[in-house]
């Protein structure tokens, strides 16, 4: 069983930065961030391997955030971060942390956090 708790959302002007955190229990092997804007489907943002048995931790990003967002982890704290830079109004939405899935495939993830709101104003 994996439990996830997000934090760090908020409101920021375009061009600003925010960092989201997701604390995990249950030692997931992979975690990801997804987002959902009103009226839109949930979409993948970034993912990272978190398996403690690995020596490398590959990441992957949606094309829309490459070069602006960075996913990372603190193994000691069992926490994954999403550093979001150069934010745009289209980045606005509810951001969800997820665990135990495949890539950025929404339906493959078994565990979800409650979400944290990110609002970017122009």
């Amino acid at each position: 069983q994996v439990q996830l708790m997000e934090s760090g959302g908020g409101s920021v002007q375009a061009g600003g930065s925010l960092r989201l955190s997701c604390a995990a229990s249950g030692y997931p092997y992979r975690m990801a961030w997804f987002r959902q804007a009103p009226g839109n489907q949930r979409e993948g943002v970034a993912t990272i391997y978190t398996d403690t048995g690995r020596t490398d931790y590959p990441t992957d990003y949606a094309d829309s955030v490459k070069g602006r967002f960075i996913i990372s982890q603190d193994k000691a704290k069992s926490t994954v971060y999403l550093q979001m830079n150069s934010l745009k109004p289209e980045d606005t939405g509810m951001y969800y942390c997820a665990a135990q899935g495949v890539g950025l495939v929404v339906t493959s993830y078994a565990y979800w956090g409650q979400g944290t709101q990110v609002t970017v104003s122009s």
Side-chain angles (χ1 to χ4, degrees):
Q1 188 78 9
V2 175
Q3 293 183 318
L4 306 169
M5 181 64 70
E6 304 107 327
S7 61
S11 297
V12 65
Q13 289 191 326
S17 298
L18 283 173
R19 189 178 79 159
L20 307 182
S21 300
C22 178
S25 64
Y27 303 100
Y29 61 82
R30 185 170 197 155
M31 294 175 65
W33 287 97
F34 293 83
R35 66 186 181 188
Q36 188 168 18
N40 290 358
Q41 292 186 336
R42 193 168 297 188
E43 63 177 3
V45 176
T47 183
I48 185 169
Y49 276 99
T50 54
D51 186 348
T52 55
R54 298 181 66 96
T55 56
D56 63 319
Y57 304 96
T59 59
D60 194 18
Y61 297 89
D63 288 343
S64 59
V65 306
K66 283 181 180 177
R68 300 188 298 123
F69 290 12
I70 301 171
I71 188 169
S72 63
Q73 65 172 319
D74 184 329
K75 291 174 60 179
K77 296 181 179 180
S78 297
T79 299
V80 167
Y81 303 98
L82 185 67
Q83 178 67 42
M84 305 186 293
N85 302 318
S86 303
L87 282 161
K88 305 175 181 180
E90 51 263 44
D91 293 318
T92 294
M94 187 69 78
Y95 281 67
Y96 298 90
C97 179
Q100 311 296 59
V102 177
L104 293 176
V105 180
V106 173
T107 54
S108 73
Y109 279 80
Y111 301 96
W112 293 84
Q114 82 287 353
T116 185
Q117 178 68 35
V118 171
T119 303
V120 184
S121 58
S122 57

